[in-house]
Amino acid sequence: MDSIGSLPEEVLSHILSFLTTKEAAITSILSKRWRNLFTLVPNLDIDDSVFLNPEEGKRERDGILQSFMDFVDKVLASQGDTPIKKFSLKCKTGIDTDRVNQWICNVLQRGATSLELVLDFPGSDDNWDSDYMYLLPRELFVSSKLVELKLRSEFGVDWWRGGTDTFLPMLKTLHFESTWILLCDDLEVFLSAFPVLEEFYMADIDWPQSDQSASSQSLRKLTIHAGGFQDFRNPKRISFDTPKLVYLEYSDFVAADYPKVNLPNLAEAVLDLKVTLHQIDLIREPDDENVVSLRLRNVWKLIRGLRNVNKLFISAETLEALSLCCESMPVFNNLKSLHIICEADLGWQAMPALLRNCPRLETLILKGLLHHVTDKCGDACDCISREDKGRSLSSCPVKKLEIRGFQGTVREKEMIRHFLESFPCLDEMEVYADQSDNDPTNVEVNRIYKIIAYKVHGKEISTHTVLQSKGMSQSQMEEISSQFTPRNNRNKYGMVYILHGTHPPPQEISQYYIKELLNEEYKERQRVHDAMFDGIVEQYPMIASALKARQAATDSEASNDQEKKRDFEALLEIMTDLYPDFASALKAMRGTDLERGEPSRDQGEMAELGQTTPTDMAADLLPRDGD
């Protein structure tokens, strides 16, 4: 405590700024020097749940809410006119809203640049009754110093009646998060009140008007989660005129039109277009005489505006909607990473056109493989047999494929095989098993954390376990791998299984890391083989003499300092020549393997599986010393 207490007051107040205001105030009891230190803290974090919890039922006690409000009053009064940077206030029902607004005005007058307000004050049953509806203070809408503002409420954010004259000249970050948001004007007029705004987040909004335009010359990051136009769902017109925007996250019902989409610098986009069940039917069977069907086709204008992105995330419903613009699909010349969410009842009709128009795609991530099958899925999937199978994939340069939510179905395995056969440049595939369902009947998938397929250029294809699970044998992994393995000879892949073990597997595993693990595994298995070899040779002098004579005949006189050559094939041949019983048992064992269609396993693999190895057989069949 002495070493901390000797620090300057500026340093101590900075340390206290990382605590909640209640925690910082408690330090005043440490000594006289600490008594007023918390009043110098430039950040205030006031949360009524911290003050009233963790005792259950404390909030309902008589006078406890009054005690909380008195505490906040005293903290602000003790600080006087001290400048403040950040003010965070979290309050629930029962707090006097007039006092809340006084607190907000207090910190604004002291130059607060960052406000985070979580105010769960419900409105009345009588809509728009000003006697009951909580309104933010007017001072909030005209602050000349506010840089960051975040508003959140379970009962809605009402900007309409308080913010008709909004002008925040320094605001750069604005977040709305609520069950509903009521703006004072349409979006274009609203955004004009923030001339330097760079980040705008708005969740759970129903558009007040059917025509909306997100227009800003300063915005760089825009997130909109909308639910259409009130009861009509699909808005009429949505435009984006944000030339400096680099990130767009947009979720809404498909609009009838997108008149202007000006996004020349957009680098990353997350697109979640919503459609009704009736509209899905119209998408799958377009009707040129249906007005709704014709309007849905204008989605191509929005997609064309995203053509410069480097990274694109699209939902399952978006992929379904994109099937209306397959012929007008833009070329994504800069796209390197494509993320697609798939659902079993939504289709892949747009997948072939999308993949054909990504000439520089490097990474493809699919969350789920199961989808609604139609003949319009094209050659992107393996669900329907067709002559041009894999054509759109063969022109796609993707190097890494990531599949999440693998459930182990036959259909998924066939699709994975299809990808491995058809993507010509694919170097690596990662398959993550679905752990959300935990179906007890799907034992194999429950054991798997991750499967990695890596392209090999030699003749040998192998499977390895990185994290060993006692519940899965080498033969089980080989059986699963055989269901993925390409039938053609053009692409060959080795498999690495990362299984659930006692320690959680690393989140990201590089190729170098995999190679190092496999190298260590190979060395360990080689040590086991060498020990077996040496044990047999040392125990049976006749075998040792025969092996030495054979080696001398082939290698001439090897020097004593030369590493002993362990030739397992020679060892087995000598053993079968010297001991007929061993030869018969070995022949029977190999014959059984061939009948089951399994390759002969080496000693290390069989020992790992707990099965009889040639060494074990030798111990039983070869004559003991003195026999």
Side-chain angles (χ1 to χ4, degrees):
M1 182 59 68
D2 291 338
S3 59
I4 296 179
S6 62
L7 295 173
E9 289 187 350
E10 294 80 5
V11 176
L12 292 175
S13 63
H14 179 70
I15 294 174
L16 293 180
S17 68
F18 293 97
L19 305 177
T20 66
T21 300
K22 178 184 177 181
E23 294 168 336
I26 292 175
T27 63
S28 62
I29 66 174
L30 295 176
S31 68
K32 290 183 179 180
R33 184 173 182 232
W34 286 79
R35 184 169 300 169
N36 296 315
L37 270 179
F38 82 97
T39 63
L40 303 177
V41 175
N43 300 337
L44 291 180
D45 184 356
I46 299 173
D47 186 345
D48 68 353
S49 66
V50 174
F51 188 88
L52 302 174
N53 289 339
E55 297 180 35
E56 185 176 354
K58 186 176 180 180
R59 189 181 194 92
E60 287 71 34
R61 295 180 190 173
D62 292 339
I64 192 65
L65 294 178
Q66 182 65 43
S67 176
F68 168 73
M69 291 185 285
D70 291 343
F71 167 74
V72 179
D73 286 340
K74 290 179 181 178
V75 169
L76 295 176
S78 66
Q79 289 189 323
D81 296 331
T82 305
I84 186 171
K85 294 180 180 179
K86 181 177 181 180
F87 181 62
S88 176
L89 177 63
K90 302 178 180 68
C91 292
K92 288 186 176 293
T93 307
I95 306 298
D96 185 350
T97 57
D98 289 337
R99 293 176 77 168
V100 168
N101 284 353
Q102 291 174 9
W103 301 337
I104 296 173
C105 291
N106 178 287
V107 297
L108 289 174
Q109 290 169 3
R110 292 161 54 192
T113 58
S114 176
L115 282 185
E116 181 182 8
L117 304 176
V118 182
L119 307 175
D120 292 332
F121 302 146
S124 68
D125 293 335
D126 181 11
N127 291 335
W128 320 122
D129 187 338
S130 60
D131 292 335
Y132 295 94
M133 179 68 72
Y134 170 70
L135 298 179
L136 294 162
R138 185 182 181 280
E139 288 81 356
L140 178 66
F141 305 105
V142 292
S143 171
S144 60
K145 296 183 179 179
L146 200 58
V147 176
E148 180 183 46
L149 175 60
K150 296 182 179 181
L151 299 175
R152 191 170 76 218
S153 174
E154 293 181 5
F155 301 100
V157 173
D158 183 358
W159 196 282
W160 180 44
R161 286 179 292 174
T164 53
D165 297 323
T166 299
F167 185 66
L168 297 173
M170 300 298 293
L171 194 70
K172 292 186 177 181
T173 301
L174 178 59
H175 282 209
F176 288 148
E177 189 170 353
S178 177
T179 53
W180 58 263
I181 301 167
L182 185 62
L183 301 180
C184 53
D185 293 291
D186 63 31
L187 187 58
E188 184 173 11
V189 175
F190 176 77
L191 290 175
S192 66
F194 316 105
V196 296
L197 189 66
E198 295 181 355
E199 180 178 342
F200 182 38
Y201 177 96
M202 183 168 57
D204 301 315
I205 184 174
D206 286 341
W207 297 116
Q209 299 181 25
S210 60
D211 293 1
Q212 294 292 334
S213 176
S215 179
S216 172
Q217 298 301 306
S218 59
L219 265 181
R220 295 181 58 81
K221 186 175 182 180
L222 175 61
T223 300
I224 297 176
H225 293 176
F229 170 56
Q230 298 178 359
D231 296 331
F232 296 99
R233 293 297 184 186
N234 297 80
K236 289 184 179 179
R237 285 178 286 273
I238 299 293
S239 293
F240 296 92
D241 186 12
T242 49
K244 292 185 179 180
L245 201 70
V246 295
Y247 176 87
L248 173 65
E249 184 173 337
Y250 178 53
S251 175
D252 196 3
F253 282 88
V254 177
D257 195 13
Y258 298 92
K260 186 173 186 179
V261 184
N262 180 28
L263 304 167
N265 291 300
L266 194 65
E268 182 174 343
V270 180
L271 196 58
D272 179 21
L273 298 178
K274 303 173 186 177
V275 288
T276 66
L277 293 176
H278 173 63
Q279 290 168 348
I280 290 177
D281 293 336
L282 292 175
I283 289 171
R284 292 176 182 171
E285 296 182 8
D287 184 355
D288 292 339
E289 296 182 0
N290 186 289
V291 176
V292 176
S293 179
L294 293 174
R295 287 176 178 174
L296 290 173
R297 298 181 188 183
N298 285 324
V299 70
W300 72 271
K301 298 181 181 179
L302 175 61
I303 302 304
R304 183 182 61 179
L306 308 181
R307 63 186 179 277
N308 292 326
V309 295
N310 304 121
K311 183 181 291 188
L312 178 61
F313 299 75
I314 61 177
S315 66
E317 287 185 72
T318 302
L319 186 63
E320 182 86 52
L322 292 186
S323 63
L324 293 171
C325 56
C326 290
E327 296 181 0
S328 54
M329 186 76 69
V331 177
F332 296 90
N333 283 313
N334 300 326
L335 188 62
K336 293 186 177 181
S337 182
L338 176 60
H339 303 234
I340 301 176
I341 297 175
C342 305
E343 295 182 10
D345 56 347
L346 295 171
W348 274 24
Q349 299 94 305
M351 188 72 82
L354 185 59
L355 294 179
R356 282 196 303 266
N357 285 274
C358 301
R360 291 180 175 82
L361 187 64
E362 296 179 357
T363 301
L364 174 61
I365 298 177
L366 300 175
K367 186 177 180 181
L369 289 176
L370 301 179
H371 60 277
H372 177 73
V373 178
T374 71
D375 58 354
K376 296 179 181 178
C377 291
D379 58 346
C381 70
D382 195 39
C383 302
I384 297 178
S385 178
R386 50 192 302 130
E387 293 182 359
D388 59 347
K389 176 181 175 181
R391 180 178 299 174
S392 63
L393 304 186
S394 63
S395 62
C396 182
V398 65
K399 297 178 180 178
K400 180 177 180 179
L401 173 63
E402 185 175 309
I403 297 170
R404 295 186 174 271
F406 174 67
Q407 299 175 25
T409 65
V410 174
R411 184 175 162 197
E412 289 175 295
K413 294 173 183 177
E414 286 298 322
M415 290 185 66
I416 291 174
R417 187 201 301 272
H418 176 58
F419 292 147
L420 293 177
E421 289 178 343
S422 303
F423 282 125
C425 302
L426 189 66
D427 292 325
E428 180 182 354
M429 178 188 69
E430 296 181 359
V431 180
Y432 292 83
D434 182 10
Q435 301 300 323
S436 60
D437 191 19
N438 288 326
D439 181 0
T441 63
N442 200 354
V443 179
E444 289 181 350
V445 173
N446 288 341
R447 295 171 187 156
I448 298 171
Y449 167 73
K450 181 179 181 181
I451 304 172
I452 299 177
Y454 57 96
K455 182 172 286 187
V456 295
H457 300 285
K459 295 182 179 180
E460 183 176 354
I461 299 176
S462 60
T463 59
H464 301 272
T465 311
V466 174
L467 293 183
Q468 181 62 48
S469 169
K470 295 181 180 179
M472 182 172 287
S473 66
Q474 182 75 15
S475 61
Q476 287 175 310
M477 289 185 289
E478 290 175 353
E479 181 180 356
I480 297 175
S481 299
S482 67
Q483 299 172 37
F484 298 156
T485 304
R487 298 185 181 91
N488 58 35
N489 293 321
R490 296 191 304 271
N491 302 330
K492 296 182 179 180
Y493 294 88
M495 299 285 178
V496 176
Y497 284 75
I498 302 174
L499 308 177
H500 287 289
T502 55
H503 301 288
Q507 293 297 316
E508 295 296 334
I509 299 180
S510 64
Q511 287 283 2
Y512 174 78
Y513 178 73
I514 294 172
K515 290 178 180 178
E516 286 297 307
L517 287 172
L518 297 182
N519 187 43
E520 289 300 319
E521 182 184 359
Y522 171 78
K523 291 179 180 178
E524 178 60 29
R525 291 174 62 174
Q526 189 62 47
R527 285 192 291 268
V528 173
H529 292 184
D530 292 347
M532 290 179 179
F533 187 98
D534 294 340
I536 293 174
V537 172
E538 291 174 3
Q539 190 172 358
Y540 303 102
M542 292 178 62
I543 294 177
S545 299
L547 191 65
K548 184 176 181 181
R550 178 173 180 143
Q551 184 172 338
T554 56
D555 296 346
S556 300
E557 292 294 330
S559 60
N560 293 332
D561 59 348
Q562 184 179 1
E563 184 181 359
K564 184 190 299 182
K565 181 179 179 182
R566 299 178 176 90
D567 189 339
F568 271 95
E569 289 298 324
L571 179 66
L572 289 176
E573 288 180 10
I574 292 172
M575 291 169 65
T576 53
D577 290 340
L578 293 175
Y579 305 105
D581 290 341
F582 174 79
S584 299
L586 182 62
K587 182 178 181 181
M589 182 191 71
R590 285 182 168 174
T592 302
D593 282 344
L594 291 175
E595 288 177 3
R596 291 184 303 191
E598 296 180 2
S600 179
R601 301 183 181 93
D602 64 24
Q603 286 85 345
E605 292 169 335
M606 295 180 68
E608 186 177 342
L609 295 174
Q611 298 181 13
T612 303
T613 67
T615 308
D616 299 327
M617 294 173 57
D620 293 333
L621 298 175
L622 295 181
R624 308 290 183 184
D625 290 341
D627 287 354

